[in-house]
Amino acid sequence: MTAEAGIPDAGGPGAHPVTGLDDVVHQRVRLGILTITHEARRVEFGYLKAQLELTAGNLSQHLAVLETAGLVEVEKGYSGRRGRTWITLTAAGSAALAEEIGRLKLLIARVETPGTPQDLAG
C-alpha cells in the first residue's frame, strides 16, 4: 500500500485483482460512505445515516476509521442553532475509491468473461 495515498499497490504482474482490495475502503459501510461523498461536494451526517441505515454510533465509528486513514474530512459546525456534521472526500479518498472500483471491475470482468473454467490447482 502506498502510505501517502492509502492506495493498495497493484501487486505482481500475475497477482489476482482481489489482492489489491483495500480493507479500509472495501468494507460495505465505508465503501458506501466514500461513494456517497464522491457524489456530492459535502454530505451531512444525518443524510449518510439515513441512506446507509446506520445508527449514529456505528456511522461515527466508520467515519473515524476513514478520517484516520485520511480518506475523508469531518467538519462540525452549525446550521442556525442546530449542530451539524459534514463529511467531505479528500484527494486520497477519491484516489482510493477509484482504485477500489478499478479492482472490482477487474474481478467482474473475470467472472463475466466467457470461457471454460480451468483447473488451477498446482
Side-chain angles (χ1 to χ4, degrees):
M1 191 179 297
T2 58
E4 64 278 353
I7 301 170
D9 290 332
H16 193 278
V18 77
T19 62
L21 294 175
D22 183 338
D23 290 337
V24 171
V25 174
H26 190 73
Q27 196 281 340
R28 179 185 64 84
V29 171
R30 293 191 289 265
L31 187 58
I33 292 168
L34 293 172
T35 303
I36 291 170
T37 56
H38 175 73
E39 296 172 20
R41 188 173 69 82
R42 72 180 187 170
V43 179
E44 204 271 323
F45 183 92
Y47 180 80
L48 280 176
K49 185 178 143 221
Q51 289 296 303
L52 298 171
E53 299 178 346
L54 300 170
T55 64
N58 193 265
L59 178 56
S60 291
Q61 288 179 334
H62 286 289
L63 287 172
V65 169
L66 292 171
E67 186 176 29
T68 298
L71 304 180
V72 298
E73 290 181 353
V74 178
E75 173 191 352
K76 295 188 181 276
Y78 287 90
S79 178
R81 292 184 178 178
R82 191 170 176 184
R84 298 276 186 190
T85 301
W86 293 278
I87 296 86
T88 55
L89 194 62
T90 64
S94 184
L97 179 61
E99 178 70 21
E100 192 73 11
I101 297 301
R103 291 284 171 190
L104 292 172
K105 286 178 180 179
L106 289 172
L107 288 170
I108 291 166
R110 283 179 169 238
V111 172
E112 292 180 343
T113 301
T116 307
Q118 301 173 11
D119 182 3
L120 298 176

